[in-house]
């Protein structure tokens, strides 16, 4: 029996997804179900001076209209992020409709509930609302003079300032200095499935079918807001059409669906429209990042200053942690990272794929390219000269690294060697050709609480593994089936992985590239406990061929326990269980991640290479090739890993050239809140993408050494593309996305 781990197994949920058999949260059909439609505020700041719902109330099929005047008050607002994720995780500390105050455009001000979706949508148009508008600030430029330095950001998880050494003095002494400010447009996630919640009350017991990356976080957040015991709230989510971070936190519409259902005494479905997605579940904030690098003539970094300025909401100090890995990627004795924030009338920004690092590493890796040109060094050579053999923030060793191997393999695959560094020298007809590279890095997060899972083995040799996690398209169910099959020693098709229900043992939310590592650890522990338990039964059973054998000498293959050296001495799980009148047996497993102060640098590394063609007359950029080489630790399934990494790299292409949400600062609303006007990379934009994997062995992060590949594919991809654009045209563009007008 060859191991299942490491095999390119097809997705176990793939068929259900592509045939329409999988039911998503907005497709849950229940008897007597009603439909809720959110009405959002049209102004970014002020108060509701008049709200008239009488026409809407009289419209056909309308069951109720909730506004701040008649909705239940929430019991308590949980904090944004507690000390550890996996607990409650509201997207913002503002719950709407508790009074007449408007803090951002799109903020829910009414919920219409009717017997059909169309009737609810129609009635929503009949509500009349007037506002007393107050002056608002909705963009970074408008608020620049009101910036402040927060003590902590990111729900209190990260300090607002990190420093070592003396940046000022070492910059003054450096042979070469580079100072650049990079501007980033706001981004929105746009998963293919917009968020949806179906809420059902049975007495005081609430069930939510919700499109969420964290069922337990949803359970705990809604319970806190409604003043319920978590035991009264069950969250189920079997199929999710992507999330990318916008379903990692729990946004107000989820609780509003529960309140609506309680109000009308029927199940209620609340599905956000695509347009509502732009003002209902967070975004990646607009930002400016200033990078100042000081280096010696030989290219060794002496000083690095990284400052970020970004808008947050009126009520939360949120910035994505763009200065996270910037302090750790290169050996540099003097470092200073500072976040500054501006209160604006927008909702609280949130995680978006590669949170922090995709923008922070864009700034650093583009500045490193500028420094390489300034020094006359090959950009890859400059990175090698500053390679951090230990974690420069702490001096601790890395748990594993593999970055040099990624550079080397990537350079080979791409053909980097012998590159003519002089910009604007390569042509293909009217197209200017350029190449660029960048480092990819993403932290290995250990911030989850103890994980639990249950494994059950049946006498017919089949097994069910249960863990209260969810799969939002990442391949979780597939790889956990593989982990369980190997741990138990049974064929892959004998294992079923059950997930997506808070009734199951509590395990990880799928966030921060941590899902595969966290859940594989606990699934591994659960099946190992079960296997050891069954073997112990055999060793104690005088009728078993394994009676009194040394447990360390027993192996299991194809569901049959046997001695490693004498394989004919053994019996199947089923023979043993049935002899003991057991139709099945089960074990619980748990796993606690290493503590946050583990004395190792914890990160995943990679290298990105890009080739672009630019038509400078028309301002067109075409990415012709992307090569990414990554070292994500143990690869459970090369096929799903590659898909994740390739998806990340293509998202990097979108970040570089397409994605940007524009704020209409006159009206305080996102101006391009649709997939027609917010551009994401599609197949026609996709170049030849090559993904390769470097094996690194990691004994620190978790039992199987899985470092994760959910986000790192995106980190560095946009920087490699922007550096290639410079190489093609000979001019630096310091703004994302790079648009036609920047190139003309
Ligand atoms: Mo991820 S942006 O933590 O879903």
């Amino acid at each position: 029996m060859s191991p299942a781990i490491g095999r390119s197994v097809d997705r176990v949920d793939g068929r259900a997804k592509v045939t329409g058999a999988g039911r998503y949260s907005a497709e849950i059909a229940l008897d007597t179900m009603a439909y809720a439609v959110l009405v959002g505020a049209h102004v970014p700041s002020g108060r509701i001076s008049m709200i008239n719902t009488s026409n809407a109330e009289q419209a056909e099929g309308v069951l109720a209209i909730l506004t701040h005047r008649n909705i239940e008050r929430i019991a308590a607002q949980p904090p944004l992020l507690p000390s550890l994720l996996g607990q409650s995780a509201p997207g913002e500390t503002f719950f709407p409709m508790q009074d007449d105050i408007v803090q951002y455009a799109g903020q829910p001000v009414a919920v219409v509930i009717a017997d059909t979706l169309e009737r609810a949508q129609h009635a929503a148009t009949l509500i009349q609302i007037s506002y007393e508008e107050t002056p608002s600030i909705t963009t970074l430029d408008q608020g620049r003079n009101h910036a402040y330095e927060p003590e902590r950001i990111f729900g209190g998880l990260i300090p607002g300032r990190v420093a070592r050494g003396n940046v000022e003095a070492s910059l003054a002494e450096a042979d070469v200095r580079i100072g650049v400010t990079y501007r980033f447009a706001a981004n929105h996630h746009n998963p293919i499935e917009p968020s949806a919640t179906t809420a059902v009350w049975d007495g005081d017991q609430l069930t939510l079918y919700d499109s969420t990356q964290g069922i337990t976080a949803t359970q705990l957040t809604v319970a806190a807001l409604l003043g319920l015991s978590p035991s009264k709230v069950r969250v189920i989510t079997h199929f999710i059409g992507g999330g990318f971070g916008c379903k990692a936190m729990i946004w107000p519409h989820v609780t509003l669906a529960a309140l609506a259902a309680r109000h009308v005494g029927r199940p209620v479905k609340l599905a956000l429209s695509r347009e509502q997605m732009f003002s209902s579940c967070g975004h990646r904030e607009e930002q400016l990042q200033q990078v100042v690098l000081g280096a010696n003539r030989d290219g060794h970094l002496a000083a690095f200053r990284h400052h970020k300025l970004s808008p947050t909401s009126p009520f939360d100090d949120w910035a994505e942690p763009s200065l996270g890995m910037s302090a750790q990627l290169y050996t540099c004795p003097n470092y200073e990272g500072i976040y500054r924030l501006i209160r604006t009338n927008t909702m609280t920004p949130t995680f978006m794929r590669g949170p922090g690092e995709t923008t922070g590493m864009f700034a650093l890796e583009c500045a490193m390219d500028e420094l390489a040109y300034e020094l006359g060094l090959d950009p890859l050579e400059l990175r090698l000269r500053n390679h951090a053999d230990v974690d420069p923030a702490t001096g601790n060793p890395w748990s594993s690294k593999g970055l040099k191997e990624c550079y080397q393999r990537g350079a080979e695959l791409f053909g980097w060697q012998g590159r003519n560094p002089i910009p604007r020298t390569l042509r293909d007809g009217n197209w200017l050709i350029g190449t660029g590279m960048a480092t990819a890095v993403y932290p290995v997060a250990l911030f989850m609480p103890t994980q639990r899972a249950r494994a059950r083995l049946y006498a017919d040799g089949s097994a069910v593994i249960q863990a209260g996690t969810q799969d939002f398209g990442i391949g979780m169910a597939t790889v956990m089936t593989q982990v369980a099959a190997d741990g138990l020693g049974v064929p892959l098709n004998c294992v079923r992985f059950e997930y997506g229900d808070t009734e199951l043992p509590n395990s990880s939310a799928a966030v921060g590239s941590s899902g595969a590592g966290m859940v594989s650890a606990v699934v591994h522990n659960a099946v190992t406990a079960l296997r050891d338990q069954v073997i112990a039964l055999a060793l104690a059973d005088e009728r078993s061929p394994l009676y009194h054998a040394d447990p360390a000498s027993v192996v299991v293959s194809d569901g049959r326990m046997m001695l490693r050296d004498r394989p004919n001495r053994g019996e199947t799980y089923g023979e043993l269980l049935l002899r003991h009148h057991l139709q099945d047996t089960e074990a619980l497993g748990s796993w606690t991640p290493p503590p946050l102060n583990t004395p190792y640098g914890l990160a995943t590394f990679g290298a990105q290479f890009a080739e672009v063609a630019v038509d400078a007359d028309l301002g067109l950029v075409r990415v012709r090739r992307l090569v990414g080489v990554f070292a994500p630790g143990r690869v459970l399934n090369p096929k799903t890993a590659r898909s994740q990494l390739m998806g990340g790299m293509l998202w990097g292409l979108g970040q570089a050239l397409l994605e940007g949400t524009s704020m209409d600062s006159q009206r305080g609303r996102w101006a391009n809140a649709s997939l027609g006007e917010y551009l994401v990379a599609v197949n026609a934009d996709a170049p030849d993408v090559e993904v390769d994997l470097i094996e690194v062995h990691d004994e620190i992060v978790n039992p199987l050494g899985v470092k994760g590949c959910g986000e790192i594919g995106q980190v560095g991809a946009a920087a490699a593309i922007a550096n290639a654009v410079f190489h093609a045209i000979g001019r630096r563009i310091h703004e994302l996305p790079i648009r036609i007008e920047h190139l003309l």
Side-chain angles (χ1 to χ4, degrees), residues 7 130 157 175 184 191 200 227 287 290 296 402 434 526 549 557:
R7 253 166 48 206
S130 305
L157 281 182
D175 296 333
F184 300 84
V200 191
Q287 49 197 284
Q290 185 199 41
N296 303 331
S557 181

Side-chain angles (χ1 to χ4, degrees), residues 564-628:
R564 185 179 294 107
D565 301 332
R566 291 170 56 199
N568 49 8
R569 203 180 134 193
E571 64 176 329
T572 65
Y573 283 143
E575 285 163 347
L576 174 73
L577 291 182
L578 289 178
R579 204 163 56 242
H580 288 262
H581 308 291
L582 290 167
Q583 289 305 316
D584 64 69
T585 184
E586 65 180 30
L588 269 177
S590 75
W591 181 68
T592 304
L596 287 172
N597 61 1
T598 296
Y600 289 92
L602 299 162
T604 308
F605 295 89
Q608 306 262 16
F609 294 81
E611 178 183 321
V612 303
V614 182
D615 185 322
D617 296 328
L618 297 176
L620 297 177
V621 183
R622 293 288 178 266
V623 178
R624 289 193 167 182
R625 265 189 321 139
L626 291 174
V627 171

Side-chain angles (χ1 to χ4, degrees), residues 182-523:
Y182 298 91
R183 178 180 277 271
F184 300 84
N187 281 185
H188 278 79
H189 310 72
N190 283 304
I192 196 164
E193 177 210 17
S195 296
T197 307
T198 301
V200 191
W201 289 91
D202 181 1
D204 64 351
Q205 179 77 40
L206 172 65
T207 301
L208 293 168
Y209 299 88
D210 185 44
S211 185
T212 178
Q213 291 169 237
I215 50 175
T216 303
T218 304
Q219 175 193 39
L220 297 176
T221 305
V222 174
L225 286 162
L226 297 184
L228 296 172
S229 159
S231 64
K232 297 286 185 193
V233 181
R234 178 178 182 186
V235 180
I236 299 173
T237 178
H238 288 139
F239 286 88
I240 311 171
F244 314 116
C246 77
K247 296 170 183 170
M249 302 281 259
I250 318 311
W251 301 97
H253 67 271
V254 181
T255 308
L256 289 173
L259 289 173
R262 187 147 75 182
H263 190 90
V264 299
R266 289 164 65 162
V268 164
K269 177 187 296 182
L270 193 164
L272 297 179
S273 68
R274 179 61 64 184
E275 187 185 356
Q276 286 175 331
M277 286 294 286
F278 283 77
S279 52
S280 302
C281 39
H283 52 275
R284 195 197 301 280
E285 65 271 19
E286 182 192 7
Q287 49 197 284
L288 285 177
Q289 288 187 30
Q290 185 199 41
V291 174
V292 184
L293 298 176
N296 303 331
R297 267 280 145 224
D298 63 2
H300 288 116
L301 287 174
F304 173 18
R305 174 184 286 153
H306 198 168
H307 289 184
K308 167 169 168 167
L309 174 65
S310 59
T312 183
S313 66
F315 30 80
D316 294 316
D317 287 342
W318 180 278
E320 60 165 0
S322 306
L323 317 183
M325 289 310 300
S326 90
Q328 289 169 276
L329 181 53
Y330 297 117
T331 293
C332 180
N334 303 290
Y335 174 85
E336 176 191 83
I338 298 179
Y339 294 90
R340 284 159 67 238
L341 294 175
I342 300 164
R343 297 225 173 273
T344 59
N345 293 102
T346 61
M347 69 185 322
T348 303
T350 199
F351 308 99
M352 183 165 161
R353 198 174 193 177
E357 307 305 340
T358 55
T359 55
M361 284 302 127
F362 178 84
L364 174 56
E365 289 301 284
C366 290
M368 285 293 278
D369 203 65
E370 298 207 24
L371 180 62
Y373 274 86
E374 185 71 26
L375 292 163
L377 270 180
D378 179 82
L380 180 47
E381 175 60 24
L382 177 65
R383 269 107 177 154
L384 288 170
R385 288 192 190 179
N386 289 287
H387 181 269
D389 296 331
V390 296
D391 177 351
T394 57
N396 288 331
W398 298 102
S399 67
S400 60
K401 192 157 185 183
L403 176 57
K404 284 183 177 169
E405 293 82 349
C406 291
Y407 286 141
Q408 192 186 344
R409 182 93 185 104
E412 279 166 20
L413 289 172
F414 188 79
W416 182 261
Q417 209 77 47
R419 168 189 191 250
N420 176 354
I422 302 170
R424 225 181 160 96
T425 49
L426 285 172
R427 274 187 174 272
D428 177 4
N430 276 342
W431 296 94
L432 296 165
I433 308 298
T435 56
M437 59 84 54
T439 311
V441 60
Y442 194 77
V444 177
L446 298 179
F447 46 61
M448 295 292 174
T450 294
Q451 310 280 306
R452 294 198 307 277
R454 180 163 45 226
R456 180 182 298 161
L457 178 69
Y458 288 88
D460 70 355
S462 63
V464 176
I465 317 302
Q466 298 179 319
T469 182
Q470 56 293 300
D471 188 337
F472 69 114
I474 54 183
M476 177 82 86
T478 309
V479 297
M480 292 317 145
T481 305
Q482 295 172 260
V483 169
D486 280 6
L488 275 177
V490 299
L492 198 60
N493 61 9
C494 290
V495 177
R496 189 171 81 243
F497 181 65
E498 291 184 353
Y499 58 99
D501 188 336
T502 50
E503 299 284 282
L504 305 179
N506 187 352
S507 71
S508 194
V511 295
S513 295
S514 68
M518 295 282 151
V519 184
S520 71
V522 68
V523 168

Side-chain angles (χ1 to χ4, degrees), residues 532-542 544 576-577 580 582 585:
D532 290 350
Q533 183 178 307
V534 179
I535 289 172
L537 186 65
L539 302 186
D541 177 2
E542 56 189 20
S544 170
L576 174 73
L577 291 182
H580 288 262
L582 290 167
T585 184

